[in-house]
Amino acid sequence: MNYLGDWGMQFGLLGAGFGQFGSMEQLKQNPLQHLFEVYVRVNKEVEQNEGIKQNARDFFRQLELHEPQAVSLWQLFRDITVKEYQCVYKRLGVHFDVYCGESFHQHGAQEVVQQLQRKGLLTTTEKGTGVVDLSPCGDMSSVCTLLRSDGTSLYLTRDVAAAIDRREKYGFDEMIYVTDKSQENHFDQLFQILRIMGHCWAKRCRHVSFGLVQGMKTRTGDVVFLEDVLDEARARMLHNMSQSNTTKAVDDPADTAEKVGISALIVQDFKGPLLSDYRFDWDRMLQAQGDTGVFMQYTHARLCSLMQRNEDVKMSTFNPSLLSEQTSVAVLQHLLRYDEVLIQSAQDLQPKHLVNFLLKLCHLVASAHKELKVKGSEEEVAQARIRLFMAARAVLSNGMKILGVTPVQKM
């Protein structure tokens, strides 16, 4: 499920900002860029202009009251955004079964407020906001706000409603939220509220947080859209391929560059602990040697080439005792760890285990490729070595697909 932040005061700002700075023509030409520009501009203006801040509150209030003009503009923003997202997700090979958003839970949020009131858990402050006390001693030393003074809901209120709705709809065994680490406190509060409301299944909700990418820039500037990053990764990879002496002739260089560029991004992102911030580096990420997605793709393509060059080797017999060299044994022992690595990745929800397993496999295969000759070897030895390389390719290809990387046959 892709849960969209499609409701809240940010849409009040966007609605008020679009009324003042927006252009329908520019919105059609470059939707995300134009909405972003409007949002940045209105956020700057609101710091000095109380009138715009009030306009934003009024627009969001109109949304919550379902006034047609406000809802119509909001729906336009939402539809355009989802359509643009889907194009980028398609490039990444990402599919979501459900697109849902905060807007879907606005009525549920009011029901949550009523439930909390009935249970005596919601307290109205002097400012008129509705808060829930999460302090261990019940002394209001740790409270979270679920209702603004004007009666509108907050992100947290809608998340409580969304969790309850998903439990009723899907009856899940486990619910995993994946967001950046700045929301850790938010999810701590969410799970606490669900527990004090009496939802014992809250203990089966988990938050997987990820760190920030630092220093990410494209040639067009400091503010980075994912589509621009994918375009630049493809362009840089295409350039590198054209300059390389080892590049094979491929049917569609741009498509190969796209796949290899995306794999470079994914491997760089997943190589370390998800929670850690890391510094983005184009040159390091696109290196053909070293622990990169490019090296992973190069290894896979090299194995495919090896298979094609040795299609004439008969596979009628297989004598594993002929794989007694230390290089062969190292590859075999590493392949035996594959299921263990998958289980570990699934248990702690960290892709780094799989990424680093595959990168080590690539290094072992590179050594084996140098030392274990197929051409010119005795027939049984050639058969055994081909089997070894076939097994390595199968595991590498399977692992890459699990990471969302499309293996290339030639590069």
Side-chain angles (χ1 to χ4, degrees), residues 74-91:
W74 167 83
Q75 189 68 54
L76 177 65
F77 294 161
R78 190 189 192 280
D79 291 347
I80 284 172
T81 304
V82 171
K83 186 179 177 183
E84 291 290 310
Y85 284 171
Q86 285 175 324
C87 291
V88 178
Y89 289 137
K90 189 176 180 181
R91 285 180 71 175

Side-chain angles (χ1 to χ4, degrees), residues 221-237:
D222 292 356
V223 175
V224 180
F225 288 85
L226 181 55
E227 188 173 18
D228 295 335
V229 174
L230 298 182
D231 288 345
E232 185 152 345
R234 180 180 58 200
R236 285 176 181 254
M237 197 60 230

Side-chain angles (χ1 to χ4, degrees), residues 2 58 79 107 110 140 159 163 200 206 218 235 252 270 274-275 280 321 323 334 347 385 401 407-408:
N2 189 334
D58 292 344
D79 291 347
H107 298 301
Q110 296 305 320
M140 300 292 283
D159 251 5
C200 59
R206 295 171 68 182
T218 65
D252 188 342
F270 284 173
L274 284 182
L275 193 56
F280 189 87
S321 68
L323 298 173
H334 192 67
Q347 284 175 341
R385 290 175 176 178
K401 288 172 184 173
V408 298

Side-chain angles (χ1 to χ4, degrees), residues 51-322:
I52 291 182
K53 191 180 287 186
Q54 188 56 49
N55 289 346
R57 290 194 201 101
D58 292 344
F59 188 89
F60 183 52
R61 182 70 181 155
Q62 289 165 20
L63 278 179
E64 293 247 302
L65 294 171
H66 298 280
E67 293 192 8
Q69 193 171 351
V71 170
S72 176
L73 189 60
W74 167 83
Q75 189 68 54
L76 177 65
F77 294 161
R78 190 189 192 280
D79 291 347
I80 284 172
T81 304
V82 171
K83 186 179 177 183
E84 291 290 310
Y85 284 171
Q86 285 175 324
C87 291
V88 178
Y89 289 137
K90 189 176 180 181
R91 285 180 71 175
L92 290 167
V94 172
H95 167 77
F96 290 100
D97 297 304
V98 178
Y99 280 84
C100 184
E102 292 181 63
S103 59
F104 183 80
H105 300 289
Q106 49 188 297
H107 298 301
Q110 296 305 320
E111 291 174 18
V112 164
V113 169
Q114 290 165 17
Q115 285 179 38
L116 289 167
Q117 287 171 333
R118 286 197 298 271
K119 291 175 183 282
L121 297 169
L122 194 73
T123 303
T124 304
T125 66
E126 292 178 0
K127 294 179 180 178
T129 59
V131 301
V132 171
D133 181 18
L134 298 179
S135 56
C137 305
D139 57 4
M140 300 292 283
S141 59
S142 175
V143 299
C144 58
T145 306
L146 279 94
L147 201 65
R148 290 193 181 89
S149 56
D150 63 1
T152 56
S153 61
L154 284 91
Y155 175 45
L156 181 58
T157 330
R158 295 186 288 275
D159 251 5
V160 175
I164 295 168
D165 178 71
R166 288 179 202 131
R167 175 62 185 175
E168 291 172 354
K169 191 176 290 181
Y170 301 112
F172 56 77
D173 297 308
E174 188 174 37
M175 178 157 61
I176 302 164
Y177 293 86
V178 185
T179 74
D180 78 281
K181 61 185 178 183
S182 69
Q183 297 196 54
E184 285 178 346
N185 184 56
H186 165 82
F187 286 103
D188 283 344
Q189 292 181 336
L190 170 63
F191 301 154
Q192 282 187 69
I193 291 167
L194 289 169
R195 283 195 293 272
I196 65 173
M197 288 178 75
H199 298 298
C200 59
W201 46 263
K203 63 187 178 187
R204 298 202 299 277
C205 297
R206 295 171 68 182
H207 176 219
V208 175
S209 53
F210 54 83
L212 303 178
V213 182
Q214 299 166 336
M216 182 181 269
K217 294 182 181 179
T218 65
R219 293 190 180 99
T220 54
D222 292 356
V223 175
V224 180
F225 288 85
L226 181 55
E227 188 173 18
D228 295 335
V229 174
L230 298 182
D231 288 345
E232 185 152 345
R234 180 180 58 200
R236 285 176 181 254
M237 197 60 230
L238 201 56
H239 173 75
N240 290 358
M241 286 164 58
S242 70
Q243 300 297 307
S244 173
N245 296 325
T246 59
T247 299
K248 303 281 193 300
V250 294
D251 296 333
D252 188 342
D255 181 62
T256 299
E258 169 97 349
K259 288 171 181 171
V260 177
I262 287 173
S263 63
L265 287 164
I266 289 173
V267 168
Q268 175 163 276
D269 207 46
F270 284 173
K271 202 163 51 174
L274 284 182
L275 193 56
S276 299
D277 299 340
Y278 72 88
R279 183 151 291 281
F280 189 87
D281 186 323
W282 278 111
D283 294 331
R284 188 178 61 206
M285 182 188 81
L286 295 173
Q287 283 176 355
Q289 299 299 320
D291 292 340
T292 66
V294 180
F295 176 54
M296 201 180 282
Q297 288 281 22
Y298 173 72
T299 304
H300 184 269
R302 200 176 185 191
L303 286 167
C304 290
S305 175
L306 182 68
M307 300 298 112
Q308 288 171 348
R309 291 199 314 272
N310 293 282
E311 285 176 336
D312 56 331
V313 177
K314 294 177 183 177
M315 303 302 292
S316 53
T317 60
F318 173 50
N319 184 353
S321 68
L322 296 172

